[in-house]
Amino acid sequence: MEIPSIIIAIDGYSSTGKSSFAKLIAKEFGFTYLDSGALYRAVTLFAQENGLISGDNVISPALEKALEGLELHFDSSNRTFIGDRCVETEIRSMPVSSQVSPISALAYVRRFVDDILHRCAASRRVVMDGRDIGVTVFPDAEVKIFMTADPIVRARRRFDEMALKGQNPVMEEVLENLRRRDEIDSHREVSPLARAADSYLLDNSEMTIGEEVAWLKGIIQGKFGILE
Ligand code: DC
C-alpha cells in the first residue's frame, strides 16, 4: 500500500539512540532522514569560523544578520553541507559539541533551522530526530515517538562509545554530564525538550534496536496498513 507523505518525529533525551533508530527506520521504510541536531551544529561551526561566538557568548545581532547569507543542506548520503563544503566531520568535533547549546537556545537560530526542516520535509516521507520536533517544529506529524531510557543505561552506552574512540571516559563524569544535559535540554526557555501529548513512548532501556524497529513497524502498520 502506498502511503502519503508522512512525517515521523523522534524526540527524546540524549544518548537514547535517536539518530541510529531514525536512520534505520528511514532505510526500512524508504523515508528521507533529517538530522535537526546537525543543522544546529553547522550553525555553531559557522559562528565559530566567523568569530561570532566566544565561550558561551554569542555576538547576537551579527550572527542573526550573518544567517541571511548562510546556506545549509544535506546530500543524498545525509551529509551536512555549508554551501558546497561538506562539514560532516567538523560538526561532530568537541569544539562544536561544547558550544552548540547556547547557539541552539537562540530563538532566531531555531527559526532558521525550522525553516530548513520545513522546506526539506515538503511533500516527502520524512523521519527526523531532535528535541522539539513533535511539539514545536511539526506538531501535526503523523507519528510521534518520544525516546527515553534509564540514565544509567544511557551513561553506559555513552561510556562505551567514548571508550571505543579511545577517550578514557570516567563513568561518574559521563553520568553527571548526561544529567546536566537532560536538565538544560528540558528547562531552557525556548523550545525545551518536551514530550508531545500524542506521542508514543519508547523506553529502550532493555530493548535491542531490532526490537525497537519491530515495535514501530507495529504502530505504522496499525495506522497506515502494510508498507511496501
Ligand atoms: O542531537 P545532537 O547532539 O546532534 O544535537 C546537537 C545540539 O542541538 C544539542 O545540544 C541539542 C540541540 N538540538 C535542539 O536543541 N533541538 C533539536 N531539534 C535538535 C538538537
Side-chain angles (χ1 to χ4, degrees):
M1 184 183 122
E2 184 67 17
I3 54 165
S5 58
I6 68 164
I7 292 173
I8 301 177
I10 300 180
D11 293 304
Y13 290 101
S14 59
S15 299
T16 46
K18 293 187 297 292
S19 67
S20 310
F21 180 52
K23 280 181 197 160
L24 204 57
I25 291 302
K27 204 166 151 209
E28 187 84 10
F29 297 137
F31 280 40
T32 300
Y33 167 62
L34 293 177
D35 177 354
S36 63
L39 298 175
Y40 289 106
R41 289 171 177 275
V43 171
T44 305
L45 179 68
F46 172 78
Q48 288 173 337
E49 291 184 338
N50 289 279
L52 298 171
I53 180 167
S54 145
D56 277 1
N57 296 320
V58 183
I59 320 294
S60 249
L63 176 60
E64 186 169 10
K65 181 91 194 115
L67 289 184
E68 289 170 17
L70 176 61
E71 192 276 320
L72 302 182
H73 66 272
F74 299 111
D75 72 359
S76 54
S77 311
N78 295 321
R79 292 178 313 168
T80 312
F81 281 69
I82 294 181
D84 57 7
R85 173 182 160 219
C86 176
V87 292
E88 195 52 38
T89 306
E90 293 90 326
I91 62 169
R92 313 284 167 194
S93 68
M94 267 320 281
V96 169
S97 298
S98 63
Q99 285 188 313
V100 65
S101 269
I103 293 280
S104 66
L106 297 167
Y108 62 84
V109 171
R110 301 204 75 85
R111 280 197 299 275
F112 175 81
V113 166
D114 291 356
D115 277 356
I116 298 175
L117 294 172
H118 278 273
R119 261 184 279 126
C120 289
S123 317
R124 269 153 105 182
R125 293 173 175 189
V126 164
V127 52
M128 75 183 80
D129 72 321
R131 305 292 191 286
D132 62 336
I133 307 297
V135 171
T136 306
V137 188
F138 287 99
D140 296 330
E142 285 77 1
V143 181
K144 298 178 186 177
I145 313 292
F146 190 83
M147 289 179 70
T148 187
D150 186 311
I152 305 285
V153 173
R154 290 191 281 136
R156 165 62 57 190
R157 289 177 187 155
R158 183 90 193 101
F159 178 95
D160 290 346
E161 260 172 41
M162 293 170 83
L164 214 66
K165 289 183 190 164
Q167 291 173 341
N168 286 324
V170 176
M171 189 57 185
E172 289 72 29
E173 286 175 14
V174 174
L175 185 58
E176 172 53 27
N177 180 274
L178 193 114
R179 289 195 199 279
R180 207 173 49 243
R181 278 182 33 173
D182 285 355
E183 180 72 14
I184 294 173
D185 279 354
S186 312
H187 292 97
R188 70 169 172 233
E189 219 166 284
V190 188
S191 251
L193 167 69
R195 182 181 169 195
D198 54 350
S199 63
Y200 296 92
L201 184 68
L202 172 58
D203 181 335
N204 64 9
S205 303
E206 292 178 16
M207 285 169 90
T208 64
I209 191 142
E211 289 168 339
E212 292 176 46
V213 173
W215 171 85
L216 183 61
K217 256 187 183 167
I219 288 174
I220 301 257
Q221 286 172 347
K223 247 177 132 74
F224 301 101
I226 305 299
L227 291 188
E228 286 166 16

